[in-house]
PDB file of all heavy atoms in Angstrom:
ATOM      1  N   PRO A 299     -50.620  -8.957-121.545  1.00 43.00           N
ATOM      2  CA  PRO A 299     -51.050  -7.978-120.545  1.00 43.00           C
ATOM      3  C   PRO A 299     -50.593  -8.395-119.145  1.00 43.00           C
ATOM      4  O   PRO A 299     -50.580  -9.572-118.820  1.00 43.00           O
ATOM      5  CB  PRO A 299     -52.584  -8.020-120.634  1.00 43.00           C
ATOM      6  CG  PRO A 299     -52.924  -8.898-121.784  1.00 43.00           C
ATOM      7  CD  PRO A 299     -51.735  -9.673-122.165  1.00 43.00           C
ATOM      8  N   THR A 300     -50.208  -7.408-118.332  1.00 43.00           N
ATOM      9  CA  THR A 300     -49.843  -7.687-116.948  1.00 43.00           C
ATOM     10  C   THR A 300     -51.100  -7.630-116.092  1.00 43.00           C
ATOM     11  O   THR A 300     -52.107  -7.078-116.498  1.00 43.00           O
ATOM     12  CB  THR A 300     -48.813  -6.662-116.449  1.00 43.00           C
ATOM     13  OG1 THR A 300     -49.347  -5.359-116.670  1.00 43.00           O
ATOM     14  CG2 THR A 300     -47.504  -6.803-117.192  1.00 43.00           C
ATOM     15  N   SER A 301     -51.006  -8.187-114.901  1.00 41.00           N
ATOM     16  CA  SER A 301     -52.211  -8.404-114.095  1.00 41.00           C
ATOM     17  C   SER A 301     -52.863  -7.123-113.570  1.00 41.00           C
ATOM     18  O   SER A 301     -54.047  -6.901-113.758  1.00 41.00           O
ATOM     19  CB  SER A 301     -51.872  -9.319-112.925  1.00 41.00           C
ATOM     20  OG  SER A 301     -50.815  -8.734-112.178  1.00 41.00           O
ATOM     21  N   ASN A 302     -52.081  -6.238-112.945  1.00 42.00           N
ATOM     22  CA  ASN A 302     -52.719  -5.147-112.189  1.00 42.00           C
ATOM     23  C   ASN A 302     -53.102  -3.931-113.037  1.00 42.00           C
ATOM     24  O   ASN A 302     -53.587  -2.949-112.520  1.00 42.00           O
ATOM     25  CB  ASN A 302     -51.841  -4.735-111.001  1.00 42.00           C
ATOM     26  CG  ASN A 302     -50.473  -4.285-111.455  1.00 42.00           C
ATOM     27  OD1 ASN A 302     -50.095  -4.486-112.615  1.00 42.00           O
ATOM     28  ND2 ASN A 302     -49.725  -3.674-110.562  1.00 42.00           N
ATOM     29  N   GLU A 303     -52.866  -3.988-114.336  1.00 41.00           N
ATOM     30  CA  GLU A 303     -53.260  -2.881-115.211  1.00 41.00           C
ATOM     31  C   GLU A 303     -54.008  -3.446-116.398  1.00 41.00           C
ATOM     32  O   GLU A 303     -53.805  -3.027-117.543  1.00 41.00           O
ATOM     33  CB  GLU A 303     -52.028  -2.105-115.684  1.00 41.00           C
ATOM     34  CG  GLU A 303     -51.361  -1.230-114.651  1.00 41.00           C
ATOM     35  CD  GLU A 303     -52.210   0.030-114.427  1.00 41.00           C
ATOM     36  OE1 GLU A 303     -52.662   0.640-115.415  1.00 41.00           O
ATOM     37  OE2 GLU A 303     -52.413   0.387-113.252  1.00 41.00           O
ATOM     38  N   ALA A 304     -54.891  -4.391-116.104  1.00 42.00           N
ATOM     39  CA  ALA A 304     -55.463  -5.215-117.165  1.00 42.00           C
ATOM     40  C   ALA A 304     -56.146  -4.409-118.271  1.00 42.00           C
ATOM     41  O   ALA A 304     -55.894  -4.618-119.453  1.00 42.00           O
ATOM     42  CB  ALA A 304     -56.454  -6.208-116.565  1.00 42.00           C
ATOM     43  N   ALA A 305     -56.973  -3.457-117.895  1.00 44.00           N
ATOM     44  CA  ALA A 305     -57.783  -2.770-118.917  1.00 44.00           C
ATOM     45  C   ALA A 305     -56.946  -2.010-119.945  1.00 44.00           C
ATOM     46  O   ALA A 305     -57.017  -2.314-121.139  1.00 44.00           O
ATOM     47  CB  ALA A 305     -58.791  -1.860-118.239  1.00 44.00           C
ATOM     48  N   PRO A 306     -56.113  -1.037-119.519  1.00 45.00           N
ATOM     49  CA  PRO A 306     -55.321  -0.325-120.535  1.00 45.00           C
ATOM     50  C   PRO A 306     -54.331  -1.247-121.230  1.00 45.00           C
ATOM     51  O   PRO A 306     -54.087  -1.110-122.425  1.00 45.00           O
ATOM     52  CB  PRO A 306     -54.586   0.754-119.742  1.00 45.00           C
ATOM     53  CG  PRO A 306     -54.784   0.430-118.298  1.00 45.00           C
ATOM     54  CD  PRO A 306     -55.962  -0.482-118.183  1.00 45.00           C
ATOM     55  N   ALA A 307     -53.795  -2.239-120.494  1.00 45.00           N
ATOM     56  CA  ALA A 307     -52.839  -3.148-121.117  1.00 45.00           C
ATOM     57  C   ALA A 307     -53.508  -3.919-122.241  1.00 45.00           C
ATOM     58  O   ALA A 307     -52.957  -4.070-123.325  1.00 45.00           O
ATOM     59  CB  ALA A 307     -52.278  -4.103-120.078  1.00 45.00           C
ATOM     60  N   ALA A 308     -54.723  -4.359-121.986  1.00 44.00           N
ATOM     61  CA  ALA A 308     -55.434  -5.127-122.997  1.00 44.00           C
ATOM     62  C   ALA A 308     -55.691  -4.288-124.238  1.00 44.00           C
ATOM     63  O   ALA A 308     -55.502  -4.736-125.367  1.00 44.00           O
ATOM     64  CB  ALA A 308     -56.755  -5.632-122.429  1.00 44.00           C
ATOM     65  N   ALA A 309     -56.090  -3.031-124.017  1.00 45.00           N
ATOM     66  CA  ALA A 309     -56.344  -2.123-125.136  1.00 45.00           C
ATOM     67  C   ALA A 309     -55.080  -1.911-125.951  1.00 45.00           C
ATOM     68  O   ALA A 309     -55.088  -1.985-127.179  1.00 45.00           O
ATOM     69  CB  ALA A 309     -56.890  -0.798-124.620  1.00 45.00           C
ATOM     70  N   ALA A 310     -53.979  -1.654-125.245  1.00 47.00           N
ATOM     71  CA  ALA A 310     -52.703  -1.409-125.933  1.00 47.00           C
ATOM     72  C   ALA A 310     -52.266  -2.675-126.663  1.00 47.00           C
ATOM     73  O   ALA A 310     -51.790  -2.618-127.797  1.00 47.00           O
ATOM     74  CB  ALA A 310     -51.645  -0.965-124.937  1.00 47.00           C
ATOM     75  N   ALA A 311     -52.457  -3.812-126.012  1.00 45.00           N
ATOM     76  CA  ALA A 311     -52.033  -5.075-126.618  1.00 45.00           C
ATOM     77  C   ALA A 311     -52.813  -5.336-127.900  1.00 45.00           C
ATOM     78  O   ALA A 311     -52.260  -5.775-128.898  1.00 45.00           O
ATOM     79  CB  ALA A 311     -52.241  -6.215-125.633  1.00 45.00           C
ATOM     80  N   GLU A 312     -54.102  -5.023-127.865  1.00 44.00           N
ATOM     81  CA  GLU A 312     -54.936  -5.218-129.026  1.00 44.00           C
ATOM     82  C   GLU A 312     -54.392  -4.406-130.202  1.00 44.00           C
ATOM     83  O   GLU A 312     -54.289  -4.869-131.324  1.00 44.00           O
ATOM     84  CB  GLU A 312     -56.352  -4.761-128.694  1.00 44.00           C
ATOM     85  CG  GLU A 312     -57.415  -5.322-129.626  1.00 44.00           C
ATOM     86  CD  GLU A 312     -58.781  -4.793-129.232  1.00 44.00           C
ATOM     87  OE1 GLU A 312     -59.070  -4.739-128.008  1.00 44.00           O
ATOM     88  OE2 GLU A 312     -59.529  -4.411-130.125  1.00 44.00           O
ATOM     89  N   TYR A 313     -54.039  -3.149-129.903  1.00 46.00           N
ATOM     90  CA  TYR A 313     -53.481  -2.296-130.948  1.00 46.00           C
ATOM     91  C   TYR A 313     -52.186  -2.858-131.476  1.00 46.00           C
ATOM     92  O   TYR A 313     -51.944  -2.902-132.679  1.00 46.00           O
ATOM     93  CB  TYR A 313     -53.265  -0.871-130.429  1.00 46.00           C
ATOM     94  CG  TYR A 313     -54.231   0.042-131.111  1.00 46.00           C
ATOM     95  CD1 TYR A 313     -55.365   0.506-130.447  1.00 46.00           C
ATOM     96  CD2 TYR A 313     -54.062   0.362-132.448  1.00 46.00           C
ATOM     97  CE1 TYR A 313     -56.285   1.282-131.093  1.00 46.00           C
ATOM     98  CE2 TYR A 313     -54.977   1.144-133.111  1.00 46.00           C
ATOM     99  CZ  TYR A 313     -56.093   1.609-132.430  1.00 46.00           C
ATOM    100  OH  TYR A 313     -57.001   2.378-133.071  1.00 46.00           O
ATOM    101  N   SER A 314     -51.319  -3.327-130.546  1.00 46.00           N
ATOM    102  CA  SER A 314     -50.032  -3.871-130.960  1.00 46.00           C
ATOM    103  C   SER A 314     -50.254  -5.050-131.891  1.00 46.00           C
ATOM    104  O   SER A 314     -49.631  -5.171-132.929  1.00 46.00           O
ATOM    105  CB  SER A 314     -49.247  -4.337-129.745  1.00 46.00           C
ATOM    106  OG  SER A 314     -48.971  -3.243-128.916  1.00 46.00           O
ATOM    107  N   GLN A 315     -51.181  -5.896-131.497  1.00 41.00           N
ATOM    108  CA  GLN A 315     -51.445  -7.106-132.243  1.00 41.00           C
ATOM    109  C   GLN A 315     -51.834  -6.804-133.694  1.00 41.00           C
ATOM    110  O   GLN A 315     -51.337  -7.409-134.610  1.00 41.00           O
ATOM    111  CB  GLN A 315     -52.602  -7.846-131.577  1.00 41.00           C
ATOM    112  CG  GLN A 315     -52.467  -9.355-131.621  1.00 41.00           C
ATOM    113  CD  GLN A 315     -52.226  -9.910-130.226  1.00 41.00           C
ATOM    114  OE1 GLN A 315     -52.660  -9.320-129.258  1.00 41.00           O
ATOM    115  NE2 GLN A 315     -51.525 -11.017-130.132  1.00 41.00           N
TER     116      GLN A 315
END
Side-chain angles (χ1 to χ4, degrees):
Chain A
T300 54
S301 57
N302 59 348
E303 287 285 315
E312 199 181 318
Y313 249 104
S314 297
Q315 216 112 29

